[in-house]
Amino acid sequence: MSNSAFSAPPYWAQMILLSCLLGGGPVVAEKVALDPSNWGHEAGEDCVSCHSKASSGLARQWQDSAHQVAGVNCMDCHQADRSDVDAIEHEGQIIATIVSPKDCGRCHEKEFKEQQGSVHAEAFAIIEDRLPALADNVGGPAMRASSCDQCHGSRVKVRGDGTLDTRTWPNSGIGRINPDGSKGSCSSCHGRHRFSKAQAREPAACVRCHSGPDSPDKEVYEASKHGMIYAAHREEMNLDAPEWVAGRDYTAAPTCVTCHMGAAGKLPSNHDVGLRNAWNLNSPVSERQYLVVFEDGSKLELPANEAAPKRGSELLRPDGTRGKVKAVATPKRRRQAMSMVCLECHSKGFTRGFMDQFDSVVELFNDKFGEPARAIMAGLYDAGLLTQTPFDEPIEFIYWELWHDEGARARHGASMMSPNHAWWEGMYLVGRNFYARFLPEARAVAAERRHELVDGLLEDQAPHRWLNQPDQVSPILGLSPAGVR
Ligand code: HEC
Ligand code: HEC
Ligand code: HEC
Ligand code: HEC
Ligand code: HEC
Ligand code: HEC
Ligand code: HEC
Ligand code: HEC
């Protein structure tokens, strides 16, 4: 990241950035797209009165919600059309159990539009072809429903009688494909039936999914200074406020939402959590990415080493359809948006310095480990020394853990201020894996072609030159230099 990338963009550019890509219009937008004459379904009272006995907990939660206060009842959300695939007849009414983002979008158009096309909404679609190898082979089909689907979502199947297939429901996965074709689930973050925004502002709304070896954001956040201050000053966070603009409504500490979705100064809030991310951090090699927004609202991320598509041009999308480009956010712009959040509480120099440190860790991972390891794996596959079947050979697990777990942890740690995850839980394990597991296993697989397929690829690379310094002695292993010799 060059320094010029950081300096404030001209006013007009900021406005285009903000209005086209970061939510549009003023920080405080129209709250609900419909006027109240569209809700308060007369059959709703029966639902409430009976459900105050049948599963009374959820009716009580609705009683305590903003929806109840505004007069939005059970039927306003659960009503369905007889022609909907998941419509069921229930106590004389046609209802559906699933209330999809599209249903919420009747009233919450802004949030619905931002959420559709976001990385979250695509979380099932982009892993669907990888499920057989990971979930079914390594685990077993039963694992899908209780693990992957709970976080990523499922393709919900409806049985002939309108009931939902238990192999695919319940879950409130973030990219679930709903019977009406819409993607995701608003109750991933907004627990039902309160649907509270205060609750969703808490880190806890995110960490159910964002924790563990490959996306350790819970652990990273808690270990960061931000997590430390949040824990100490939670009551100053003003989580119940109607508006929640960092720097104005609260200053104690940022939460996940502050940095990835929340309003900060002039930056509006947005339900697309990916907008402000310049890199992809959970990939074998990280790339800086353009965000392409199409006329129809869908989005696509493209590596920044390719030419940026032009506004108004047509582009072939992964699903085979063509889309007209409405706007393109460069990685630089996306970084500027993220930095605008930091600037509410930190100085420019501090923020720039932090971002430089973070970017250097990603570049180090790429150059030293990610790219060579990927090239070595590609060589072994091309030479027919590994089968194409994923996870049937030890090195495939070793390589997977190198980038997907340890490498992701190092990059997440550096991006979100946990020195522990950047090094001990991250890059230290990457290095240990690379030198002590991956390379020895790759050499064994390559056998007599080990120089051509493995060591030859590292020979001229500066980061690995230390291996050829036999006299470099240090007391690091707890032995005196004499003991090492
Ligand atoms: C006379 C009592 C009664 C009334 C009225 C009633 N329900 Fe129910 N409802 C139940 C009971 C009992 C169950 C649990 C049935 C079961 O276990 O399958 C249920 C189940 C449900 C389910 C879950 C279905 C599933 O897939 O598991 C939904 C959603 C629901 N009701 C919504 C409504 C709505 C909306 C209304 C208003 C139109 C309503 N209910 C009216 C008693 C009632
Ligand atoms: C703001 C919209 C909204 C309102 C109002 C609402 N629901 Fe729901 N309800 C949902 C959503 C979303 C789900 C989750 C379904 C899914 O996506 O899997 C749900 C799920 C359910 C379920 C099945 C899940 C479970 O936990 O058992 C029942 C039963 C239910 N609702 C009943 C009711 C009743 C009764 C009322 C009125 C007191 C009501 N709902 C009001 C949105 C709503
Ligand atoms: C605890 C929640 C959780 C579970 C369970 C889970 N994932 Fe994920 N997965 C995530 C999160 C969060 C990310 C995003 C990581 C990031 O970008 O930082 C992710 C990322 C991925 C990616 C990388 C996607 C990309 O961006 O290319 C794949 C592939 C994947 N998961 C597959 C699976 C499969 C298959 C399963 C089940 C065997 C599974 N996941 C189970 C939460 C989960
Ligand atoms: C990734 C978590 C997440 C998901 C998924 C999510 N929301 Fe939200 N939502 C939030 C957070 C966090 C806030 C509070 C934002 C703030 O105040 O900065 C919020 C706020 C809201 C608000 C209040 C807006 C206001 O200005 O008062 C509405 C309405 C809303 N969400 C609707 C939805 C709908 C509809 C969906 C599904 C299309 C959805 N949300 C999905 C996290 C989420
Ligand atoms: C029929 C219209 C309608 C539908 C459908 C609807 N809502 Fe709402 N929603 C409202 C109204 C009205 C409010 C109150 C607005 C206010 O307080 O200014 C509200 C408020 C909210 C809030 C803010 C709550 C708070 O703490 O202030 C959230 C979050 C939310 N809705 C989410 C959802 C989700 C998720 C769905 C779908 C499961 C949904 N809504 C469906 C009309 C609707
Ligand atoms: C129900 C599970 C779930 C919840 C809750 C959830 N996420 Fe995610 N999130 C995911 C998965 C799965 C992915 C990976 C999606 C993909 O790669 O398409 C992801 C991806 C992301 C990304 C990466 C975007 C990118 O550029 O690749 C960010 C940032 C993120 N989530 C932030 C949040 C925040 C902030 C919250 C809470 C307000 C949250 N998430 C709540 C499951 C979840
Ligand atoms: C102080 C701001 C800040 C806080 C707080 C924060 N993040 Fe991040 N997060 C970042 C930055 C900066 C990046 C790297 C952005 C980039 O790619 O340029 C990032 C990256 C991520 C990614 C990786 C996206 C990818 O490209 O794979 C995920 C997922 C994520 N954050 C989720 C979370 C969750 C969940 C929390 C709360 C537990 C959280 N973040 C708290 C600033 C923050
Ligand atoms: C709502 C206010 C707020 C926002 C927004 C915020 N921070 Fe912080 N940050 C703090 C506070 C408070 C501390 C603790 C101050 C201290 O004692 O060092 C802190 C500490 C830090 C530290 C540790 C400093 C040290 O000396 O150990 C880093 C690094 C950091 N923030 C980076 C960022 C970055 C990068 C962003 C934007 C992506 C950001 N912060 C956004 C409030 C904020």
Side-chain angles (χ1 to χ4, degrees):
M1 211 66 200
S2 74
N3 289 358
S4 65
F6 188 79
S7 56
Y11 182 74
W12 61 267
Q14 274 194 43
M15 286 306 112
I16 290 174
L17 173 78
L18 296 182
S19 63
C20 281
L21 297 159
L22 301 171
V27 174
V28 183
E30 269 311 321
K31 278 223 190 285
V32 177
L34 295 178
D35 76 69
S37 64
N38 292 282
W39 64 76
H41 197 289
E42 65 283 0
E45 274 174 36
D46 292 342
C47 321
V48 177
S49 80
C50 186
H51 273 276
S52 299
K53 291 172 234 100
S55 37
S56 63
L58 62 83
R60 284 272 291 280
Q61 282 153 3
W62 170 80
Q63 296 281 11
D64 292 338
S65 73
H67 287 129
Q68 189 274 335
V69 173
V72 175
N73 66 38
C74 320
M75 271 305 271
D76 294 322
C77 284
H78 284 282
Q79 66 184 297
D81 216 74
R82 209 174 272 280
S83 60
D84 294 348
V85 278
D86 59 341
I88 50 172
E89 191 161 342
H90 180 64
E91 305 296 338
Q93 298 293 328
I94 304 295
I95 66 160
T97 298
I98 287 187
V99 179
S100 75
K102 198 171 157 195
D103 298 326
C104 310
R106 270 196 322 128
C107 296
H108 301 299
E109 204 179 327
K110 171 182 179 289
E111 288 80 8
F112 172 59
K113 279 196 180 143
E114 292 167 355
Q115 179 259 358
Q116 295 296 301
S118 72
V119 272
H120 269 160
E122 298 303 322
F124 176 79
I126 64 162
I127 70 155
E128 192 168 13
D129 62 345
R130 303 190 232 181
L131 284 164
L134 196 56
D136 302 351
N137 294 358
V138 178
M143 290 321 300
R144 283 197 194 190
S146 50
S147 74
C148 325
D149 294 0
Q150 298 297 322
C151 297
H152 288 266
S154 60
R155 184 179 289 282
V156 178
K157 297 218 169 74
V158 184
R159 298 200 194 95
D161 62 356
T163 59
L164 305 171
D165 183 340
T166 54
R167 281 169 303 178
T168 63
W169 187 88
N171 71 73
S172 54
I174 201 91
R176 189 178 71 184
I177 316 274
N178 298 298
D180 66 5
S182 66
K183 292 179 179 174
S185 144
C186 306
S187 73
S188 300
C189 300
H190 296 288
R192 59 181 185 271
H193 278 77
R194 285 283 288 273
F195 296 107
S196 142
K197 58 186 179 195
Q199 171 263 312
R201 288 167 180 159
E202 304 242 16
C206 319
V207 303
R208 173 167 74 93
C209 304
H210 287 277
S211 53
D214 60 331
S215 189
D217 310 305
K218 172 183 194 290
E219 297 83 352
V220 166
Y221 179 71
E222 284 169 1
S224 75
K225 231 169 174 182
H226 293 141
M228 168 185 109
I229 305 280
Y230 172 78
H233 298 292
R234 193 180 165 283
E235 74 285 357
E236 293 163 29
M237 291 295 293
N238 212 4
L239 290 163
D240 290 323
E243 309 298 334
W244 202 58
V245 183
R248 188 192 77 188
D249 300 310
Y250 67 101
T251 54
T255 70
C256 320
V257 169
T258 309
C259 295
H260 292 289
M261 309 177 60
K266 287 203 172 65
L267 189 72
S269 72
N270 196 297
H271 268 62
D272 181 349
V273 292
L275 284 180
R276 303 170 188 172
N277 290 349
W279 292 98
N280 59 346
L281 297 182
N282 280 55
S283 50
V285 173
S286 285
E287 281 160 331
R288 290 189 169 89
Q289 294 183 309
Y290 295 116
L291 180 70
V292 181
V293 184
F294 295 97
E295 295 284 357
D296 65 6
S298 70
K299 293 174 192 153
L300 184 66
E301 292 190 299
L302 292 175
N305 54 17
E306 291 167 19
K310 296 235 165 356
R311 278 181 69 186
S313 66
E314 288 214 341
L315 216 64
L316 192 64
R317 293 178 285 200
D319 66 1
T321 61
R322 300 185 76 82
K324 197 164 182 196
V325 176
K326 182 178 165 193
V328 179
T330 61
K332 201 163 128 180
R333 283 280 152 85
R334 303 174 81 179
R335 171 57 56 81
Q336 277 166 352
M338 177 66 85
S339 300
M340 282 172 76
V341 179
C342 319
L343 293 180
E344 289 302 315
C345 301
H346 296 291
S347 74
K348 251 188 204 173
F350 178 92
T351 305
R352 186 192 303 133
F354 171 83
M355 292 298 181
D356 282 347
Q357 293 175 352
F358 157 47
D359 289 339
S360 308
V361 170
V362 181
E363 281 154 9
L364 166 68
F365 172 81
N366 280 352
D367 298 347
K368 185 165 180 172
F369 304 111
E371 278 169 8
R374 186 170 66 179
I376 290 168
M377 288 300 283
L380 297 176
Y381 283 116
D382 285 349
L385 295 166
L386 295 174
T387 67
Q388 292 296 321
T389 312
F391 297 117
D392 66 336
E393 281 136 335
I395 197 167
E396 291 172 322
F397 284 95
I398 295 173
Y399 175 60
W400 169 257
E401 285 168 19
L402 179 80
W403 68 263
H404 180 265
D405 293 355
E406 296 149 357
R409 231 138 61 207
R411 287 172 280 176
H412 283 237
S415 68
M416 291 177 277
M417 305 100 198
S418 167
N420 176 42
H421 292 84
W423 177 244
W424 293 118
E425 310 264 356
M427 205 67 86
Y428 167 71
L429 296 180
V430 172
R432 184 181 76 179
N433 183 337
F434 188 77
Y435 292 118
R437 291 171 72 204
F438 179 76
L439 289 180
E441 185 66 23
R443 290 184 190 114
V445 172
E448 66 269 21
R449 296 176 68 183
R450 53 181 282 182
H451 185 263
E452 172 202 348
L453 293 175
V454 183
D455 294 307
L457 275 70
L458 304 178
E459 223 163 45
D460 295 325
Q461 295 203 355
H464 302 288
R465 244 171 243 149
W466 66 276
L467 285 169
N468 303 321
Q469 295 174 346
D471 296 334
Q472 190 194 23
V473 174
S474 110
I476 200 83
L477 297 176
L479 302 171
S480 69
V484 172
R485 283 199 192 96

